[in-house]
Amino acid sequence: QPISTMRLPPLFISLLLSLASGTLALGQGDQVALQFVTFPKTMDPIEVELLGGQGKTTLLEIPSNELSVTYRVNARQSWALGKTEADAEGNPKFTAFGKTKSLGVPRQLILVIRKGKDPAKGVTLVPIDNRKARFGVESLLFVNASKMPIAGEVGSKKLALLPGKSQIVKPEADRGENLCQATLYYRENKETRPFLDTIWPLQPDARGLIFIYNDPRSSKIRLHTIRDFP
């Protein structure tokens, strides 16, 4: 006999709905483990502030060649990065460079895509589910930071990315032990052209981030790869 939801406590009903959707609803006071990485590449980490409750901020150092350290903060419905400066009256004022909704899960990776060298020119924040079940070892996160649609196969897994989009795949070792075939194409002026056809190594104890972008000097498609050992 089915159980009537009218007899269940509201908190229990909310938990059931969260589990069914694959996310975990976080409440006030719950902690979230945040990591960050920025793009385009930069020699030194960028420094920005993460807005918290009651106007308090956390200073972040965000690199581009690896993931940042883990910052543990209280759960929020949204994330905002920016800088605190004094206004005309000498009072602290937070200026947001970019905002995004929180995913509502306890581990999140925030991609900080800058519009210029200085994050004050604006950033786009892309939250990624950073739990091991979603983005664990042997997984690859592709981010299309180029101006063209990208498609192809990596380890027999299909990839299709419009500009500004991301996708996580878990390749199969289809070219021998810990090796996979990677073939990627871009589409421009109604023509599809290959830009990558190689064999990639897979590490059972690592995951990868791959930013696909246009070289600002030549406009050619380039890859910026990061290997992470969670």
Short mmCIF file of all heavy atoms in Angstrom, two decimals, residues 90-129:
data_model
loop_
_atom_site.label_atom_id
_atom_site.label_comp_id
_atom_site.label_asym_id
_atom_site.label_seq_id
_atom_site.Cartn_x
_atom_site.Cartn_y
_atom_site.Cartn_z
N GLY A 90 33.11 56.73 3.34
CA GLY A 90 34.07 55.93 4.09
C GLY A 90 33.54 54.61 4.59
O GLY A 90 34.22 53.90 5.33
N ASN A 91 32.33 54.25 4.16
CA ASN A 91 31.74 52.97 4.58
C ASN A 91 32.11 51.87 3.59
O ASN A 91 32.22 52.13 2.38
CB ASN A 91 30.22 53.09 4.66
CG ASN A 91 29.78 54.12 5.68
OD1 ASN A 91 30.30 54.15 6.80
ND2 ASN A 91 28.83 54.97 5.30
N PRO A 92 32.34 50.64 4.07
CA PRO A 92 32.69 49.55 3.15
C PRO A 92 31.54 49.22 2.21
O PRO A 92 30.39 49.11 2.63
CB PRO A 92 33.02 48.39 4.09
CG PRO A 92 32.28 48.70 5.35
CD PRO A 92 32.28 50.19 5.47
N LYS A 93 31.87 49.06 0.94
CA LYS A 93 30.87 48.72 -0.07
C LYS A 93 31.40 47.60 -0.95
O LYS A 93 32.50 47.69 -1.49
CB LYS A 93 30.53 49.95 -0.94
CG LYS A 93 29.51 49.66 -2.02
CD LYS A 93 29.26 50.88 -2.89
CE LYS A 93 28.26 50.57 -3.99
NZ LYS A 93 28.04 51.75 -4.89
N PHE A 94 30.63 46.54 -1.10
CA PHE A 94 31.04 45.39 -1.91
C PHE A 94 30.53 45.58 -3.34
O PHE A 94 29.33 45.79 -3.57
CB PHE A 94 30.48 44.09 -1.32
CG PHE A 94 30.84 42.86 -2.12
CD1 PHE A 94 32.08 42.25 -1.97
CD2 PHE A 94 29.93 42.31 -3.02
CE1 PHE A 94 32.42 41.12 -2.69
CE2 PHE A 94 30.27 41.17 -3.76
CZ PHE A 94 31.51 40.59 -3.58
N THR A 95 31.45 45.49 -4.29
CA THR A 95 31.09 45.56 -5.71
C THR A 95 31.27 44.18 -6.32
O THR A 95 32.37 43.61 -6.27
CB THR A 95 31.99 46.57 -6.46
OG1 THR A 95 31.82 47.87 -5.88
CG2 THR A 95 31.61 46.63 -7.94
N ALA A 96 30.20 43.63 -6.87
CA ALA A 96 30.24 42.28 -7.44
C ALA A 96 30.77 42.32 -8.86
O ALA A 96 30.33 43.13 -9.68
CB ALA A 96 28.85 41.65 -7.42
N PHE A 97 31.74 41.44 -9.13
CA PHE A 97 32.26 41.27 -10.49
C PHE A 97 31.46 40.21 -11.26
O PHE A 97 31.45 40.20 -12.48
CB PHE A 97 33.72 40.85 -10.45
CG PHE A 97 34.63 41.79 -9.73
CD1 PHE A 97 35.83 41.35 -9.18
CD2 PHE A 97 34.31 43.14 -9.59
CE1 PHE A 97 36.69 42.22 -8.51
CE2 PHE A 97 35.16 44.02 -8.92
CZ PHE A 97 36.34 43.55 -8.38
N GLY A 98 30.83 39.30 -10.52
CA GLY A 98 30.05 38.24 -11.15
C GLY A 98 29.28 37.46 -10.10
O GLY A 98 29.70 37.37 -8.94
N LYS A 99 28.13 36.90 -10.49
CA LYS A 99 27.28 36.14 -9.58
C LYS A 99 26.77 34.88 -10.29
O LYS A 99 26.70 34.83 -11.51
CB LYS A 99 26.06 36.97 -9.14
CG LYS A 99 26.39 38.25 -8.41
CD LYS A 99 25.11 39.00 -8.05
CE LYS A 99 25.39 40.31 -7.35
NZ LYS A 99 24.14 41.05 -7.02
N THR A 100 26.41 33.88 -9.48
CA THR A 100 25.78 32.67 -10.01
C THR A 100 24.99 32.01 -8.90
O THR A 100 25.25 32.22 -7.71
CB THR A 100 26.82 31.68 -10.56
OG1 THR A 100 26.13 30.61 -11.23
CG2 THR A 100 27.67 31.07 -9.45
N LYS A 101 24.01 31.20 -9.28
CA LYS A 101 23.24 30.45 -8.30
C LYS A 101 24.07 29.29 -7.77
O LYS A 101 24.86 28.70 -8.49
CB LYS A 101 21.95 29.92 -8.92
CG LYS A 101 20.92 31.00 -9.25
CD LYS A 101 19.65 30.39 -9.80
CE LYS A 101 18.60 31.46 -10.08
NZ LYS A 101 17.36 30.86 -10.65
N SER A 102 23.87 28.97 -6.50
CA SER A 102 24.52 27.79 -5.92
C SER A 102 23.81 26.54 -6.40
O SER A 102 22.61 26.55 -6.68
CB SER A 102 24.46 27.87 -4.39
OG SER A 102 24.90 26.65 -3.82
N LEU A 103 24.56 25.44 -6.51
CA LEU A 103 23.97 24.17 -6.93
C LEU A 103 23.25 23.45 -5.79
O LEU A 103 22.54 22.49 -6.02
CB LEU A 103 25.06 23.25 -7.49
CG LEU A 103 25.77 23.70 -8.75
CD1 LEU A 103 26.82 22.67 -9.16
CD2 LEU A 103 24.79 23.93 -9.89
N GLY A 104 23.47 23.91 -4.56
CA GLY A 104 22.81 23.27 -3.43
C GLY A 104 23.39 21.93 -3.05
O GLY A 104 22.71 21.09 -2.45
N VAL A 105 24.66 21.68 -3.41
CA VAL A 105 25.34 20.44 -3.04
C VAL A 105 26.55 20.79 -2.17
O VAL A 105 27.06 21.91 -2.24
CB VAL A 105 25.77 19.62 -4.28
CG1 VAL A 105 24.55 19.18 -5.07
CG2 VAL A 105 26.71 20.42 -5.17
N PRO A 106 27.04 19.85 -1.35
CA PRO A 106 28.07 20.19 -0.37
C PRO A 106 29.47 20.41 -0.92
O PRO A 106 30.33 20.92 -0.22
CB PRO A 106 28.05 19.00 0.59
CG PRO A 106 27.50 17.87 -0.20
CD PRO A 106 26.52 18.49 -1.15
N ARG A 107 29.74 20.01 -2.16
CA ARG A 107 31.05 20.24 -2.77
C ARG A 107 30.82 20.85 -4.15
O ARG A 107 30.16 20.24 -5.01
CB ARG A 107 31.85 18.95 -2.88
CG ARG A 107 32.16 18.28 -1.54
CD ARG A 107 33.13 17.13 -1.71
NE ARG A 107 34.43 17.58 -2.18
CZ ARG A 107 35.40 18.02 -1.38
NH1 ARG A 107 35.21 18.07 -0.08
NH2 ARG A 107 36.55 18.41 -1.87
N GLN A 108 31.39 22.05 -4.37
CA GLN A 108 31.20 22.74 -5.64
C GLN A 108 32.53 23.30 -6.14
O GLN A 108 33.35 23.78 -5.36
CB GLN A 108 30.18 23.87 -5.49
CG GLN A 108 28.80 23.39 -5.05
CD GLN A 108 27.81 24.52 -4.86
OE1 GLN A 108 27.73 25.45 -5.69
NE2 GLN A 108 27.06 24.47 -3.78
N LEU A 109 32.70 23.23 -7.46
CA LEU A 109 33.84 23.84 -8.14
C LEU A 109 33.30 25.00 -8.95
O LEU A 109 32.38 24.82 -9.75
CB LEU A 109 34.53 22.82 -9.05
CG LEU A 109 35.56 23.35 -10.03
CD1 LEU A 109 36.74 23.98 -9.30
CD2 LEU A 109 36.04 22.24 -10.98
N ILE A 110 33.86 26.19 -8.74
CA ILE A 110 33.39 27.38 -9.45
C ILE A 110 34.43 27.77 -10.50
O ILE A 110 35.58 28.09 -10.16
CB ILE A 110 33.16 28.56 -8.50
CG1 ILE A 110 32.29 28.14 -7.31
CG2 ILE A 110 32.53 29.72 -9.25
CD1 ILE A 110 30.90 27.70 -7.67
N LEU A 111 34.04 27.73 -11.76
CA LEU A 111 34.90 28.21 -12.85
C LEU A 111 34.74 29.72 -12.96
O LEU A 111 33.62 30.23 -13.08
CB LEU A 111 34.52 27.55 -14.18
CG LEU A 111 34.39 26.02 -14.18
CD1 LEU A 111 34.01 25.55 -15.58
CD2 LEU A 111 35.67 25.36 -13.71
N VAL A 112 35.85 30.43 -12.90
CA VAL A 112 35.82 31.90 -12.94
C VAL A 112 36.38 32.33 -14.29
O VAL A 112 37.60 32.39 -14.49
CB VAL A 112 36.62 32.49 -11.78
CG1 VAL A 112 36.53 34.02 -11.80
CG2 VAL A 112 36.13 31.94 -10.44
N ILE A 113 35.49 32.60 -15.23
CA ILE A 113 35.90 32.99 -16.59
C ILE A 113 35.96 34.51 -16.66
O ILE A 113 34.93 35.20 -16.59
CB ILE A 113 34.91 32.44 -17.63
CG1 ILE A 113 34.61 30.95 -17.39
CG2 ILE A 113 35.46 32.67 -19.04
CD1 ILE A 113 35.81 30.06 -17.48
N ARG A 114 37.18 35.05 -16.77
CA ARG A 114 37.36 36.49 -16.76
C ARG A 114 37.15 37.09 -18.15
O ARG A 114 37.50 36.49 -19.17
CB ARG A 114 38.77 36.85 -16.26
CG ARG A 114 39.11 36.23 -14.91
CD ARG A 114 40.46 36.72 -14.38
NE ARG A 114 41.50 36.85 -15.37
CZ ARG A 114 42.22 35.82 -15.85
NH1 ARG A 114 42.00 34.59 -15.43
NH2 ARG A 114 43.16 36.04 -16.74
N LYS A 115 36.63 38.31 -18.17
CA LYS A 115 36.43 39.03 -19.43
C LYS A 115 37.66 39.84 -19.81
O LYS A 115 37.72 40.40 -20.90
CB LYS A 115 35.21 39.94 -19.32
CG LYS A 115 33.91 39.18 -19.10
CD LYS A 115 32.72 40.10 -18.99
CE LYS A 115 31.43 39.31 -18.76
NZ LYS A 115 30.25 40.18 -18.62
N GLY A 116 38.62 39.90 -18.92
CA GLY A 116 39.88 40.60 -19.16
C GLY A 116 40.90 40.12 -18.16
O GLY A 116 40.63 39.25 -17.33
N LYS A 117 42.09 40.70 -18.21
CA LYS A 117 43.12 40.30 -17.25
C LYS A 117 42.69 40.62 -15.83
O LYS A 117 42.90 39.83 -14.91
CB LYS A 117 44.43 41.02 -17.59
CG LYS A 117 45.59 40.60 -16.72
CD LYS A 117 46.88 41.28 -17.15
CE LYS A 117 48.05 40.83 -16.27
NZ LYS A 117 49.33 41.48 -16.68
N ASP A 118 42.06 41.79 -15.65
CA ASP A 118 41.60 42.22 -14.34
C ASP A 118 40.18 41.69 -14.12
O ASP A 118 39.28 41.98 -14.92
CB ASP A 118 41.60 43.74 -14.27
CG ASP A 118 41.29 44.26 -12.88
OD1 ASP A 118 40.86 43.47 -12.02
OD2 ASP A 118 41.46 45.48 -12.66
N PRO A 119 39.93 40.93 -13.04
CA PRO A 119 38.58 40.42 -12.81
C PRO A 119 37.55 41.52 -12.61
O PRO A 119 36.34 41.28 -12.76
CB PRO A 119 38.74 39.56 -11.54
CG PRO A 119 40.01 40.01 -10.90
CD PRO A 119 40.89 40.46 -12.02
N ALA A 120 37.99 42.74 -12.28
CA ALA A 120 37.05 43.84 -12.11
C ALA A 120 36.32 44.17 -13.41
O ALA A 120 35.26 44.83 -13.38
CB ALA A 120 37.79 45.07 -11.59
N LYS A 121 36.86 43.74 -14.55
CA LYS A 121 36.18 43.96 -15.82
C LYS A 121 34.99 43.04 -16.01
O LYS A 121 34.25 43.17 -16.99
CB LYS A 121 37.17 43.77 -16.97
CG LYS A 121 38.28 44.83 -17.01
CD LYS A 121 39.19 44.63 -18.21
CE LYS A 121 40.27 45.70 -18.26
NZ LYS A 121 41.18 45.53 -19.43
N GLY A 122 34.81 42.11 -15.08
CA GLY A 122 33.67 41.21 -15.13
C GLY A 122 34.09 39.76 -15.23
O GLY A 122 35.10 39.45 -15.88
N VAL A 123 33.36 38.89 -14.56
CA VAL A 123 33.63 37.46 -14.62
C VAL A 123 32.31 36.71 -14.80
O VAL A 123 31.26 37.16 -14.33
CB VAL A 123 34.35 36.94 -13.36
CG1 VAL A 123 35.72 37.56 -13.21
CG2 VAL A 123 33.51 37.18 -12.10
N THR A 124 32.39 35.59 -15.48
CA THR A 124 31.28 34.66 -15.56
C THR A 124 31.58 33.48 -14.65
O THR A 124 32.65 32.88 -14.76
CB THR A 124 31.07 34.17 -17.00
OG1 THR A 124 30.76 35.29 -17.84
CG2 THR A 124 29.93 33.16 -17.08
N LEU A 125 30.68 33.17 -13.75
CA LEU A 125 30.87 32.08 -12.80
C LEU A 125 30.06 30.86 -13.24
O LEU A 125 28.87 30.97 -13.49
CB LEU A 125 30.45 32.51 -11.39
CG LEU A 125 31.10 33.78 -10.83
CD1 LEU A 125 30.62 34.04 -9.42
CD2 LEU A 125 32.61 33.67 -10.88
N VAL A 126 30.75 29.72 -13.34
CA VAL A 126 30.11 28.48 -13.76
C VAL A 126 30.26 27.46 -12.64
O VAL A 126 31.36 26.96 -12.41
CB VAL A 126 30.72 27.93 -15.06
CG1 VAL A 126 30.00 26.66 -15.50
CG2 VAL A 126 30.68 28.98 -16.17
N PRO A 127 29.19 27.14 -11.92
CA PRO A 127 29.30 26.16 -10.83
C PRO A 127 29.25 24.73 -11.36
O PRO A 127 28.45 24.41 -12.24
CB PRO A 127 28.08 26.47 -9.96
CG PRO A 127 27.07 27.01 -10.92
CD PRO A 127 27.84 27.72 -12.01
N ILE A 128 30.12 23.87 -10.83
CA ILE A 128 30.19 22.47 -11.21
C ILE A 128 30.01 21.61 -9.96
O ILE A 128 30.57 21.91 -8.91
CB ILE A 128 31.57 22.15 -11.86
CG1 ILE A 128 31.82 23.04 -13.08
CG2 ILE A 128 31.66 20.66 -12.23
CD1 ILE A 128 30.89 22.80 -14.24
N ASP A 129 29.22 20.56 -10.09
CA ASP A 129 29.06 19.61 -8.98
C ASP A 129 30.39 18.90 -8.77
O ASP A 129 30.84 18.14 -9.62
CB ASP A 129 27.95 18.61 -9.32
CG ASP A 129 27.56 17.72 -8.14
OD1 ASP A 129 28.38 17.56 -7.22
OD2 ASP A 129 26.45 17.18 -8.16
#
